[in-house]
Amino acid sequence: MVELVLIDHVGHFGDGVALVDGKSIYVPYTLGGETVEVAPVAGHPDRRRLLAIERASPERIPPFCQHFGVCGGCAIQHWDAEPYRAWKRNLVVETLAQARLDGEVAPLIDAHGLGRRRITLHARMSTHDVLKVGFAAAGSHDIVPVDRCPILDPALSGALEAAWALAEPLTPTGKPLDIQITATEGGLDVDVRGSGPLPAKMIATLSRVAEQHRLARLTRHGELVLMREPPTIVIGTARVTLPPGSFLQATIVGEQTLAALVSEHCKRARHIADLFCGVGPFALRLAAKTRVSAFDSDAGAVAALQKAAMATSGLKPVKAEARDLFRRPLMPQELRDYDTIVFDPPRRGAEAQVRQLAVSKIPVVVAVSCNVATFARDARILVDGGYKLESVTPVDQFRHTPHVELVARFKR
């Protein structure tokens, strides 16, 4: 059944929200004030599919990507920059208010820079035995084949072609593949997952493809297939060789912006614990002035951080330790050695660790988050434990999506 609805506002996930019979109806790719024609979405009574825009918002702009509206990577390319930026900052303001958290929210910092430096492409065989390599479609598990993506850093040039070339010889396995590609100083670092065990002949074929596409390194489930150049990145004054499949901030400017905010909040620290440290985007910069102990469950990342710190002159002592902070958070007696804590957990937040921080005597806690909802939950625990939320700065490195990063400072 076709309906005509009025969009009231843009919701937290980037969909337009229409209020129909007292209920919220979600329509992707729409803006507040628009009248749109929609159709039901099977299995989702609160969602509608956009058919046509009867009356467009004056804030609507043409999307810049030919795949927008089909590819699930971007939710918002159709909104003018200023109202989009106001909406994204307000995601933080509203979520904190709902959690009864008082704290100044600074203006949104744009950190898109040159674009994304890492992507994960998916390779699947269609029902007609046609190979598709690309991104997941909006709202489904279908794959949208792509031969270009305008939000990528130019350093990822050749990434899409390499992914197609690697997927083609693996199609006889019949397995769905995930191909993670990261831009590094040495070139493209690629890790292929999902292929299962492969015969030596197939490994040799993949090695030839890697050589033809001048990949810095090709790994399969983290196991080395070929390395032409060490896949390194620069963090501060250190050079880090990435473990296969490493997590990095999505953009170079995003990492630099978050690190600058963290460093500013830690400028009087004498001994910092960097929790969920990864390969050291904060630790290796903070160590230019301060002693740092770094912790993360990823042993490969921790080893890469430690090796980089030892090879870099001029840094204060850095001690890196592999530790699962979800299962074994640092306890108050262990936290007594530090005067400042930095934590940057995955999207699920750091509830177990935060509960220990809340009963510690640490003077300053600096939180970095990629999920404002779990940040608000963790911040509420700290505030209830006697901390004051002094400031929150939202950072937009995932432009065109509802994802927002933030850096916050707490003082006991």
Side-chain angles (χ1 to χ4, degrees), residues 69 172 275 328 400:
L275 311 182
R328 294 180 53 231
H400 316 301

Side-chain angles (χ1 to χ4, degrees), residues 159-178:
L160 297 172
E161 294 86 348
W164 278 92
L166 289 167
E168 284 174 358
L170 291 171
T171 53
T173 67
K175 296 181 180 295
L177 305 174
D178 295 325

Side-chain angles (χ1 to χ4, degrees), residues 117-316:
R117 62 173 168 180
R118 61 177 179 87
I119 54 173
T120 299
L121 294 160
H122 309 291
R124 308 284 190 270
M125 293 298 292
S126 73
T127 53
H128 302 291
D129 290 331
V130 175
L131 176 64
K132 293 182 177 182
V133 180
F135 300 110
S140 81
H141 297 292
D142 292 338
I143 302 302
V144 179
V146 294
D147 59 4
R148 61 183 294 272
C149 176
I151 66 168
L152 301 188
D153 190 310
L156 278 176
S157 175
L160 297 172
E161 294 86 348
W164 278 92
L166 289 167
E168 284 174 358
L170 291 171
T171 53
T173 67
K175 296 181 180 295
L177 305 174
D178 295 325
I179 305 170
Q180 180 177 318
I181 308 179
T182 303
T184 75
E185 284 193 316
L188 299 179
D189 183 27
V190 182
D191 186 50
V192 179
R193 295 182 178 270
S195 65
L198 296 175
K201 186 177 179 180
M202 181 61 74
I203 297 293
T205 298
L206 295 178
S207 181
R208 285 195 297 272
V209 172
E211 187 68 57
Q212 291 165 1
H213 286 265
R214 311 289 292 171
L215 303 183
R217 179 176 63 184
L218 174 64
T219 55
R220 189 184 62 84
H221 293 276
E223 296 181 357
L224 183 65
V225 174
L226 176 79
M227 184 162 69
R228 295 180 54 257
E229 298 282 345
T232 60
I233 61 167
V234 174
I235 298 178
T237 60
R239 179 167 276 102
V240 180
T241 300
L242 297 177
S246 290
F247 171 82
L248 291 176
Q249 295 295 342
T251 72
I252 292 174
V253 174
E255 179 187 297
Q256 292 170 342
T257 300
L258 295 172
L261 291 166
V262 168
S263 296
E264 176 64 22
H265 291 324
C266 295
K267 60 185 178 182
R268 295 184 181 178
R270 296 185 304 275
H271 192 185
I272 298 171
D274 180 6
L275 311 182
F276 309 96
C277 62
V279 296
F282 306 134
L284 289 170
R285 289 179 169 95
L286 293 169
K289 296 182 178 179
T290 311
R291 190 158 51 117
V292 178
S293 296
F295 301 85
D296 197 285
S297 61
D298 186 336
V302 167
L305 190 169
Q306 188 72 76
K307 183 178 180 180
M310 293 176 64
T312 305
S313 61
L315 297 184
K316 301 292 185 182

Side-chain angles (χ1 to χ4, degrees), residues 3-14:
E3 301 174 78
L4 205 63
V5 299
L6 174 65
I7 302 300
D8 183 76
H9 63 279
V10 178
H12 280 212
F13 295 101

Side-chain angles (χ1 to χ4, degrees), residues 3-5 34-38 50-57:
E3 301 174 78
L4 205 63
V5 299
E34 294 188 325
T35 302
V36 297
E37 191 177 89
V38 299
L50 177 64
L51 298 178
I53 299 170
E54 294 292 324
R55 187 180 68 185
S57 165

